[in-house]
Structures are given as structure tokens and as C-alpha cells.
Amino acid sequence: MRLIRAALRQTPTKQHIYRPFQKINIPKRNYATSVSAAELDFGQPVHETHPHILQPGEITPGITAEEYFSRRAKLAHSLPANSVAVLPSASIQYRSGAVFFPFRQESNLLYLTGFLEPESLAVIHKTGPNLNDFAFHLFCRPKDPRAEQWSGPWSGLNAAEDVFNADASYDIAKAPQILPTILRSAARVYVDLPPVTTPLGSTLRSLSMSTSPLQPLVNALRAIKSPAEIANMRQAGRVSGRAITSAMRRPWKFEKDLHNYLDYAFTHSGLSGPAYVPVVAGGRRGRMIHYVHNNSTCNEGETVLVDAGGEYGFYVTDITRTWPVSGKFSPAQKDLYSAVLKVQRRCVSLCRASAGLSLDEIHRAAESGLSEELTKLGFDGLQTYPGDSLMDQLFPHHVGHYVGLDVHDTPGYGRSVPLKAGHCVTIEPGIYVPDDERFPKHFRGLAVRIEDSVCVDDDSPINLSVEAVKEVADIEALR
């Protein structure tokens, strides 16, 4: 069975042709077939087979083929002359034996291609000085009806060119023979080397050529989100926020029931599912920053701390809320919660390009604000552990991180970078009071963290998770 050729031209095509977009000024193929794409099987949704998921022209939800092309062009343009970027796919991970986890593509390969299959490899070769002077090679699995009968469909080599707009496609099994020819012609190779035990890692090392890390170059692109990316994150935040607010309306006896409710609410409302394993921490367990056992109880008189968020179009949101199990804060809970909320609101307001602040500088503002608020609550003059400040003990994590395709997005991209319009970050101050006699008695054992995902704009931040209520009056009014 032939896959459809997407005619990359300005002239009309036959009806039912899958044309994800037209590459402007770079016509490559000038032919088409009348077979409908809706009759074919691909390794991931396309508009013709999944119109309930994708709009015309989109490769993944909200992101068009043209945007993916533009990302590759920008990466190629950032490379030195005649350089090559190599991006291997993620590998299937196994839970035990033959039981595997759902596959998730390596984020940089996903960002640049939208291709969602394992056993794949993208090569982007800069061929000239202009923005569109590059070649895109995609290695992947060829169609195999017998294998696909067992594992489900994959896209194949023709779709690599016609759907994902590769200039050339190759059988991934032939990468050890073909890839060296491409790389030897390059002046410089950029790659984040996979382990030597993998076929690609072995192949690259056998060439005995020096390589440069690719991650910093891709980070520079991924860190500033496009309008389409922000829209996806806003949708993830909107649905996730409403699910968390809905959860606050109900009493919960068991952490696992609240966990399961959020997973269901995210998916039921149109997200692909949870973005990460949530924290659902009743009472004193909220003091453990990444508590994910979620197997204990939520007791009257305590608070529950929930760090959860969903994913839409592979973009995530990261939200934390703390609320009273009974629906009403005790006086001490309200005082500590209000102190953290005041600082959180202040730090969110600093997420604007005109302020010129970095995440590190906002963190220092959070520490100063929390120290000021805690002094008002009687936390001044306390004995600290040797080598630790009071803030090290009560606020042991950073106020925020970048967020996007990953919960902790663009790893290695510094928190000292001044925030610009399009940066998306979390703002999550917290206070975790040890249960010991050094601290005011009525606050001992309490934990409060409040977190929103925020998009930096020129003059005012965009709170991507505003639907998750956080004012004391609003939380208590839910029940």
C-alpha cells in the first residue's frame, strides 16, 4: 500500500489529498494520488483519520506542520556553516517483563518534528547561509503489515516525507550504514550522545569524530513559547484548574481517591491525561516536597496539599493548591496560608519582561517576602540547624522553574536569565514547618505550597492556571 504523497506546490491537488502545509518557495514533490488519507493507518493521529483531535494542517494538537518547519529552520540557522544536528528518539521503557509504559517521545525530537514513534532519528543539516537552507532527514521504521498486526500501525518511510515533510527518509535499521556518510560531510556535529550500548551511540563513537552538545541550542528555541504553545498550555491550565477546584468542593477520606479523581477529571475534560505523578499529601505528609505514595488518609482538622496538572497537545501545566480537608481553615492554617498566598501573588506580578528579573531574583524576593510574613507570625529569633538559615529549613526549594513540553522544561537553561515575553515558568513559594519545639506550637507540622504556571508578557503576566481557586474566601465558599 502506498502512502499519500503531499503535493508541495501552489497548484490545486486532487480531492482527499493530505496536505499538512505547503513549504513556501521550496517545491520538492509535484505529484499526488487520489487515495484518501482517511483510509490509511499512521503511527499517530493525522487530521484525516482523527479530525476530533487535529485541525487541518496540524501535526500535533495546536501545532501546525508549518510551525514545525519553522522550528527546524531556526535551529539550522543557529548552527555554524555545514553543521549537522542529530536527534535520536526515546526508547520504549518496560515496567516489568514484556509490560511497557506508554511511549513518550524525546522532547527535543518532538519539538522539532512532531514525530511520535520510537526507533527513529532526525538529522538536520545546514546547507547554506539563509534561513531555509537546510535538509531534514528522518530515519524510522518502514511499513511492516505483519509486525503492525501485533503492535498497531506505524507511519513508514513515505509518510516521513509526505506527512512530516522530511526531505529524505531511511529505514532506521540502515542508520549504521547511511548516517556516517551524512556526518562525515559535516564540518561539525551537534548531538546529545545516547549511551554507548545503543546502536546510535555505538555508531557515533565508532566514527571517532568530535561532537558538540545540542541541548543548549534547542533550549534557546524552546524557552520562548510561540502563541500556539501558550494556547496549548492555557488549555491544559484551564482544564486542570477547573478539575482541582472541583476536587476542593468534595470531602476526601483517602489520598488515592483524590488522586484517581484528578486523573479522571483531566482526561474526561479533554486533556491527554496527567502531566506527572501528582502529590496528594494529607496533613504532615505535605512537608515532603515530592510525596507521591498517595496511599494514606485525609483527616478532619488537617490540610491536603495537591501538586497536579494535566497535559494538552504534549504541553503541561503545573499547579499546587493547599486546602482544609473539612472545607474551613483553622486560624493557624489560615494565617500561614495567607502569608504564603501574599508572597505568591507578589512573585507572580514580577513575571513581566518590563521588570527585567530572572527566576533567581524572584526567588530572592520570595525568600525576603516569606521571612517578612513569618516574622509577623512569631517566627523571628528562632534557632536554626548549623549551616542552615531559617529559609533553608522552612522553604527548601526554588520558587520556580521553566515549564512547557516538560514539567521541568529546557533542562540546563539557567534560572539567572532575565525573563522575556514568552518564557513560561512556575511560581511556587511554600512553607513547611517541622514538628519540633523550636517553632510556634500552633504552626508545627503545617505545610502550605501555592503554585501557578505563568506566561511572561511584556507588562503583565498571564496566569495559565487561574481557574484553580486560591483565595481563602473562595476555597471556603466551595462547600
Side-chain angles (χ1 to χ4, degrees):
M1 179 187 296
R2 290 184 64 221
L3 290 178
I4 293 175
R5 298 287 184 179
L8 299 176
R9 61 184 182 185
Q10 299 297 327
T11 54
T13 60
K14 295 180 182 179
Q15 191 175 10
H16 302 305
I17 298 307
Y18 179 74
R19 302 174 66 202
F21 84 112
Q22 297 177 357
K23 290 182 181 178
I24 306 303
N25 297 325
I26 48 170
K28 296 275 179 126
R29 294 177 288 276
N30 202 35
Y31 48 88
T33 171
S34 59
V35 178
S36 169
E39 300 173 16
L40 302 178
D41 292 320
F42 299 88
Q44 64 191 75
V46 300
H47 167 67
E48 284 79 0
T49 60
H50 293 71
H52 58 292
I53 295 177
L54 296 173
Q55 298 297 314
E58 292 180 349
I59 294 293
T60 57
I63 310 297
T64 64
E66 189 167 8
E67 179 158 336
Y68 281 113
F69 174 82
S70 176
R71 293 172 180 179
R72 293 191 292 272
K74 289 177 181 177
L75 175 65
H77 195 59
S78 72
L79 299 175
N82 192 30
S83 292
V84 169
V86 181
L87 298 106
S89 69
S91 301
I92 295 174
Q93 301 297 315
Y94 288 85
R95 184 175 184 270
S96 65
V99 179
F100 50 84
F101 289 105
F103 178 74
R104 171 51 158 79
Q105 186 59 280
E106 194 277 327
S107 292
N108 288 339
L109 178 58
L110 169 57
Y111 177 79
L112 291 165
T113 69
F115 192 68
L116 304 180
E117 297 183 33
E119 298 182 58
S120 57
L121 172 71
V123 178
I124 298 171
H125 187 181
K126 182 171 184 173
T127 57
N130 299 316
L131 182 62
N132 290 344
D133 290 344
F134 72 95
F136 168 36
H137 308 273
L138 185 57
F139 293 79
C140 59
R141 299 169 296 184
K143 296 292 286 183
D144 185 342
R146 184 179 295 272
E148 292 174 63
Q149 182 181 10
W150 285 92
S151 65
W154 54 67
S155 295
L157 302 184
N158 286 344
E161 300 180 22
D162 300 331
V163 176
F164 300 96
N165 291 286
D167 297 294
S169 58
Y170 311 95
D171 183 346
I172 186 64
K174 297 179 180 178
Q177 292 78 46
I178 298 173
L179 185 59
T181 302
I182 299 174
L183 299 186
R184 287 194 183 102
S185 66
R188 196 168 181 180
V189 176
Y190 288 81
V191 62
D192 299 314
L193 284 171
V196 69
T197 53
T198 64
L200 176 61
S202 176
T203 297
L204 291 172
R205 287 170 175 82
S206 70
L207 297 177
S208 299
M209 61 172 54
S210 61
T211 62
S212 300
L214 179 60
Q215 184 77 43
L217 297 179
V218 183
N219 277 351
L221 300 177
R222 283 179 53 187
I224 304 296
K225 305 301 187 284
S226 71
E229 293 178 287
I230 294 169
N232 277 5
M233 295 177 69
R234 181 71 185 94
Q235 176 64 6
R238 178 183 297 113
V239 173
S240 300
R242 289 173 180 171
I244 291 172
T245 295
S246 177
M248 292 182 192
R249 298 178 186 276
R250 303 171 55 179
W252 299 97
K253 178 62 178 174
F254 298 104
E255 293 169 348
K256 69 177 179 64
D257 291 341
L258 177 48
H259 176 163
N260 291 335
Y261 173 79
L262 291 171
D263 283 358
Y264 166 78
F266 294 159
T267 306
H268 178 71
S269 299
L271 303 186
S272 56
Y276 52 92
V277 179
V279 172
V280 182
R284 60 184 177 82
R285 289 172 297 281
R287 303 195 333 258
M288 293 177 267
I289 312 300
H290 287 158
Y291 169 85
V292 293
H293 294 306
N294 303 345
N295 58 8
S296 193
T297 58
C298 302
N299 301 317
E300 289 286 319
E302 297 180 339
T303 58
V304 59
L305 187 154
V306 172
D307 186 338
E311 178 181 279
Y312 179 77
F314 302 99
Y315 287 85
V316 308
T317 194
D318 192 357
I319 307 170
T320 303
R321 292 294 185 264
T322 308
W323 70 87
V325 173
S326 67
K328 186 173 179 60
F329 290 96
S330 72
Q333 292 168 352
K334 182 183 294 186
D335 285 345
L336 191 63
Y337 182 92
S338 298
V340 175
L341 178 59
K342 183 176 180 179
V343 174
Q344 201 260 356
R345 286 198 302 255
R346 186 184 308 164
C347 290
V348 168
S349 73
L350 297 176
C351 295
R352 59 187 194 278
S354 59
L357 300 178
S358 66
L359 271 176
D360 280 341
E361 289 171 313
I362 294 175
H363 177 76
R364 289 191 285 273
E367 286 188 318
S368 176
L370 289 172
S371 179
E372 179 182 334
E373 294 301 317
L374 290 176
T375 297
K376 297 175 185 177
L377 296 179
F379 281 78
D380 57 323
L382 300 178
Q383 179 184 357
T384 60
Y385 295 117
D388 280 348
S389 69
L390 183 62
M391 278 295 102
D392 290 332
Q393 295 174 42
L394 297 179
F395 179 35
H397 58 79
H398 203 281
V399 76
H401 54 78
Y402 301 100
V403 65
L405 283 173
D406 294 309
V407 178
H408 286 255
D409 207 41
T410 57
Y413 188 80
R415 288 182 169 122
S416 62
V417 177
L419 294 179
K420 299 178 181 178
H423 276 127
C424 292
V425 299
T426 66
I427 296 296
E428 50 180 309
I431 290 294
Y432 314 87
V433 185
D435 189 9
D436 71 50
E437 62 185 12
R438 294 178 304 124
F439 298 95
K441 183 175 182 180
H442 42 292
F443 294 119
R444 292 174 193 168
L446 296 185
V448 174
R449 182 164 73 248
I450 305 170
E451 175 185 22
D452 285 298
S453 294
V454 180
C455 178
V456 178
D457 206 352
D458 288 326
D459 296 311
S460 59
I462 303 168
N463 188 336
L464 301 171
S465 47
V466 68
E467 282 80 4
V469 303
K470 61 184 179 182
E471 300 297 328
V472 169
D474 292 337
I475 292 173
E476 293 187 337
L478 291 173
R479 278 190 261 166

